[in-house]
PDB file of all heavy atoms in Angstrom:
ATOM      1  N   TYR A 273      -1.924 -11.056   9.872  1.00 95.00           N
ATOM      2  CA  TYR A 273      -1.025 -10.819  10.995  1.00 95.00           C
ATOM      3  C   TYR A 273      -1.756 -10.177  12.167  1.00 95.00           C
ATOM      4  O   TYR A 273      -2.730  -9.437  11.973  1.00 95.00           O
ATOM      5  CB  TYR A 273       0.135  -9.905  10.574  1.00 95.00           C
ATOM      6  CG  TYR A 273       1.057 -10.518   9.545  1.00 95.00           C
ATOM      7  CD1 TYR A 273       1.246  -9.911   8.297  1.00 95.00           C
ATOM      8  CD2 TYR A 273       1.736 -11.698   9.806  1.00 95.00           C
ATOM      9  CE1 TYR A 273       2.099 -10.471   7.357  1.00 95.00           C
ATOM     10  CE2 TYR A 273       2.585 -12.267   8.867  1.00 95.00           C
ATOM     11  CZ  TYR A 273       2.758 -11.649   7.644  1.00 95.00           C
ATOM     12  OH  TYR A 273       3.596 -12.204   6.715  1.00 95.00           O
ATOM     13  N   THR A 274      -1.247 -10.442  13.353  1.00 94.00           N
ATOM     14  CA  THR A 274      -1.823  -9.836  14.555  1.00 94.00           C
ATOM     15  C   THR A 274      -1.163  -8.507  14.897  1.00 94.00           C
ATOM     16  O   THR A 274      -1.647  -7.776  15.760  1.00 94.00           O
ATOM     17  CB  THR A 274      -1.676 -10.781  15.763  1.00 94.00           C
ATOM     18  OG1 THR A 274      -0.296 -11.143  15.909  1.00 94.00           O
ATOM     19  CG2 THR A 274      -2.512 -12.042  15.554  1.00 94.00           C
ATOM     20  N   GLU A 275      -0.069  -8.202  14.214  1.00 96.00           N
ATOM     21  CA  GLU A 275       0.569  -6.901  14.419  1.00 96.00           C
ATOM     22  C   GLU A 275       1.152  -6.403  13.107  1.00 96.00           C
ATOM     23  O   GLU A 275       1.418  -7.182  12.189  1.00 96.00           O
ATOM     24  CB  GLU A 275       1.660  -6.974  15.482  1.00 96.00           C
ATOM     25  CG  GLU A 275       2.744  -7.995  15.227  1.00 96.00           C
ATOM     26  CD  GLU A 275       3.728  -8.113  16.384  1.00 96.00           C
ATOM     27  OE1 GLU A 275       3.284  -8.030  17.550  1.00 96.00           O
ATOM     28  OE2 GLU A 275       4.927  -8.298  16.117  1.00 96.00           O
ATOM     29  N   ARG A 276       1.344  -5.098  13.022  1.00 97.00           N
ATOM     30  CA  ARG A 276       1.772  -4.459  11.773  1.00 97.00           C
ATOM     31  C   ARG A 276       3.189  -4.859  11.406  1.00 97.00           C
ATOM     32  O   ARG A 276       4.097  -4.838  12.238  1.00 97.00           O
ATOM     33  CB  ARG A 276       1.676  -2.935  11.932  1.00 97.00           C
ATOM     34  CG  ARG A 276       1.994  -2.131  10.683  1.00 97.00           C
ATOM     35  CD  ARG A 276       1.659  -0.659  10.931  1.00 97.00           C
ATOM     36  NE  ARG A 276       1.991   0.181   9.805  1.00 97.00           N
ATOM     37  CZ  ARG A 276       3.156   0.814   9.667  1.00 97.00           C
ATOM     38  NH1 ARG A 276       4.082   0.704  10.601  1.00 97.00           N
ATOM     39  NH2 ARG A 276       3.380   1.576   8.610  1.00 97.00           N
ATOM     40  N   LYS A 277       3.372  -5.207  10.142  1.00 97.00           N
ATOM     41  CA  LYS A 277       4.697  -5.530   9.602  1.00 97.00           C
ATOM     42  C   LYS A 277       4.890  -4.769   8.305  1.00 97.00           C
ATOM     43  O   LYS A 277       3.936  -4.549   7.555  1.00 97.00           O
ATOM     44  CB  LYS A 277       4.823  -7.032   9.324  1.00 97.00           C
ATOM     45  CG  LYS A 277       4.775  -7.916  10.549  1.00 97.00           C
ATOM     46  CD  LYS A 277       5.050  -9.364  10.162  1.00 97.00           C
ATOM     47  CE  LYS A 277       5.040 -10.276  11.379  1.00 97.00           C
ATOM     48  NZ  LYS A 277       5.414 -11.659  11.006  1.00 97.00           N
ATOM     49  N   LEU A 278       6.126  -4.400   8.038  1.00 98.00           N
ATOM     50  CA  LEU A 278       6.455  -3.733   6.786  1.00 98.00           C
ATOM     51  C   LEU A 278       7.309  -4.653   5.919  1.00 98.00           C
ATOM     52  O   LEU A 278       8.119  -5.430   6.414  1.00 98.00           O
ATOM     53  CB  LEU A 278       7.222  -2.430   7.047  1.00 98.00           C
ATOM     54  CG  LEU A 278       6.461  -1.299   7.744  1.00 98.00           C
ATOM     55  CD1 LEU A 278       7.369  -0.085   7.900  1.00 98.00           C
ATOM     56  CD2 LEU A 278       5.198  -0.917   6.981  1.00 98.00           C
ATOM     57  N   THR A 279       7.116  -4.564   4.613  1.00 98.00           N
ATOM     58  CA  THR A 279       7.916  -5.346   3.673  1.00 98.00           C
ATOM     59  C   THR A 279       9.240  -4.648   3.401  1.00 98.00           C
ATOM     60  O   THR A 279       9.485  -3.518   3.841  1.00 98.00           O
ATOM     61  CB  THR A 279       7.174  -5.508   2.339  1.00 98.00           C
ATOM     62  OG1 THR A 279       7.143  -4.221   1.686  1.00 98.00           O
ATOM     63  CG2 THR A 279       5.763  -6.004   2.548  1.00 98.00           C
ATOM     64  N   ALA A 280      10.082  -5.320   2.631  1.00 97.00           N
ATOM     65  CA  ALA A 280      11.355  -4.730   2.217  1.00 97.00           C
ATOM     66  C   ALA A 280      11.145  -3.471   1.382  1.00 97.00           C
ATOM     67  O   ALA A 280      12.031  -2.620   1.293  1.00 97.00           O
ATOM     68  CB  ALA A 280      12.166  -5.751   1.416  1.00 97.00           C
ATOM     69  N   ASP A 281       9.950  -3.342   0.795  1.00 98.00           N
ATOM     70  CA  ASP A 281       9.619  -2.162  -0.005  1.00 98.00           C
ATOM     71  C   ASP A 281       8.979  -1.052   0.827  1.00 98.00           C
ATOM     72  O   ASP A 281       8.552  -0.027   0.280  1.00 98.00           O
ATOM     73  CB  ASP A 281       8.674  -2.555  -1.148  1.00 98.00           C
ATOM     74  CG  ASP A 281       9.261  -3.634  -2.038  1.00 98.00           C
ATOM     75  OD1 ASP A 281      10.338  -3.396  -2.617  1.00 98.00           O
ATOM     76  OD2 ASP A 281       8.655  -4.718  -2.136  1.00 98.00           O
ATOM     77  N   GLY A 282       8.869  -1.286   2.146  1.00 98.00           N
ATOM     78  CA  GLY A 282       8.312  -0.270   3.032  1.00 98.00           C
ATOM     79  C   GLY A 282       6.796  -0.198   3.030  1.00 98.00           C
ATOM     80  O   GLY A 282       6.221   0.817   3.407  1.00 98.00           O
ATOM     81  N   LEU A 283       6.145  -1.293   2.646  1.00 98.00           N
ATOM     82  CA  LEU A 283       4.687  -1.328   2.573  1.00 98.00           C
ATOM     83  C   LEU A 283       4.117  -2.241   3.652  1.00 98.00           C
ATOM     84  O   LEU A 283       4.753  -3.218   4.057  1.00 98.00           O
ATOM     85  CB  LEU A 283       4.251  -1.842   1.200  1.00 98.00           C
ATOM     86  CG  LEU A 283       4.680  -0.988   0.002  1.00 98.00           C
ATOM     87  CD1 LEU A 283       4.526  -1.769  -1.282  1.00 98.00           C
ATOM     88  CD2 LEU A 283       3.871   0.303  -0.038  1.00 98.00           C
ATOM     89  N   GLU A 284       2.901  -1.925   4.119  1.00 98.00           N
ATOM     90  CA  GLU A 284       2.243  -2.801   5.081  1.00 98.00           C
ATOM     91  C   GLU A 284       2.069  -4.175   4.425  1.00 98.00           C
ATOM     92  O   GLU A 284       1.553  -4.289   3.315  1.00 98.00           O
ATOM     93  CB  GLU A 284       0.887  -2.197   5.472  1.00 98.00           C
ATOM     94  CG  GLU A 284       0.241  -2.863   6.671  1.00 98.00           C
ATOM     95  CD  GLU A 284      -0.475  -4.139   6.286  1.00 98.00           C
ATOM     96  OE1 GLU A 284      -1.222  -4.123   5.286  1.00 98.00           O
ATOM     97  OE2 GLU A 284      -0.261  -5.159   6.983  1.00 98.00           O
ATOM     98  N   GLU A 285       2.495  -5.222   5.130  1.00 98.00           N
ATOM     99  CA  GLU A 285       2.678  -6.511   4.471  1.00 98.00           C
ATOM    100  C   GLU A 285       1.385  -7.206   4.048  1.00 98.00           C
ATOM    101  O   GLU A 285       1.344  -7.871   3.012  1.00 98.00           O
ATOM    102  CB  GLU A 285       3.496  -7.450   5.369  1.00 98.00           C
ATOM    103  CG  GLU A 285       3.937  -8.697   4.647  1.00 98.00           C
ATOM    104  CD  GLU A 285       5.102  -9.410   5.311  1.00 98.00           C
ATOM    105  OE1 GLU A 285       5.932  -8.752   5.978  1.00 98.00           O
ATOM    106  OE2 GLU A 285       5.179 -10.633   5.147  1.00 98.00           O
ATOM    107  N   THR A 286       0.322  -7.052   4.814  1.00 98.00           N
ATOM    108  CA  THR A 286      -0.939  -7.694   4.436  1.00 98.00           C
ATOM    109  C   THR A 286      -1.429  -7.158   3.098  1.00 98.00           C
ATOM    110  O   THR A 286      -1.805  -7.928   2.201  1.00 98.00           O
ATOM    111  CB  THR A 286      -2.013  -7.471   5.513  1.00 98.00           C
ATOM    112  OG1 THR A 286      -1.496  -7.873   6.782  1.00 98.00           O
ATOM    113  CG2 THR A 286      -3.269  -8.252   5.206  1.00 98.00           C
ATOM    114  N   PHE A 287      -1.416  -5.849   2.942  1.00 98.00           N
ATOM    115  CA  PHE A 287      -1.842  -5.225   1.688  1.00 98.00           C
ATOM    116  C   PHE A 287      -0.878  -5.588   0.559  1.00 98.00           C
ATOM    117  O   PHE A 287      -1.292  -5.850  -0.574  1.00 98.00           O
ATOM    118  CB  PHE A 287      -1.900  -3.710   1.873  1.00 98.00           C
ATOM    119  CG  PHE A 287      -2.510  -2.956   0.721  1.00 98.00           C
ATOM    120  CD1 PHE A 287      -3.876  -2.990   0.499  1.00 98.00           C
ATOM    121  CD2 PHE A 287      -1.720  -2.202  -0.139  1.00 98.00           C
ATOM    122  CE1 PHE A 287      -4.451  -2.293  -0.570  1.00 98.00           C
ATOM    123  CE2 PHE A 287      -2.276  -1.504  -1.203  1.00 98.00           C
ATOM    124  CZ  PHE A 287      -3.653  -1.552  -1.417  1.00 98.00           C
ATOM    125  N   ALA A 288       0.420  -5.627   0.879  1.00 98.00           N
ATOM    126  CA  ALA A 288       1.431  -5.920  -0.136  1.00 98.00           C
ATOM    127  C   ALA A 288       1.286  -7.328  -0.703  1.00 98.00           C
ATOM    128  O   ALA A 288       1.349  -7.526  -1.919  1.00 98.00           O
ATOM    129  CB  ALA A 288       2.828  -5.735   0.452  1.00 98.00           C
TER     130      ALA A 288
END
Side-chain angles (χ1 to χ4, degrees):
Y273 295 120
T274 54
E275 56 185 38
R276 184 172 177 267
K277 294 186 179 185
L278 293 181
T279 70
D281 303 301
L283 298 165
E284 192 279 313
E285 191 161 331
T286 307
F287 188 74

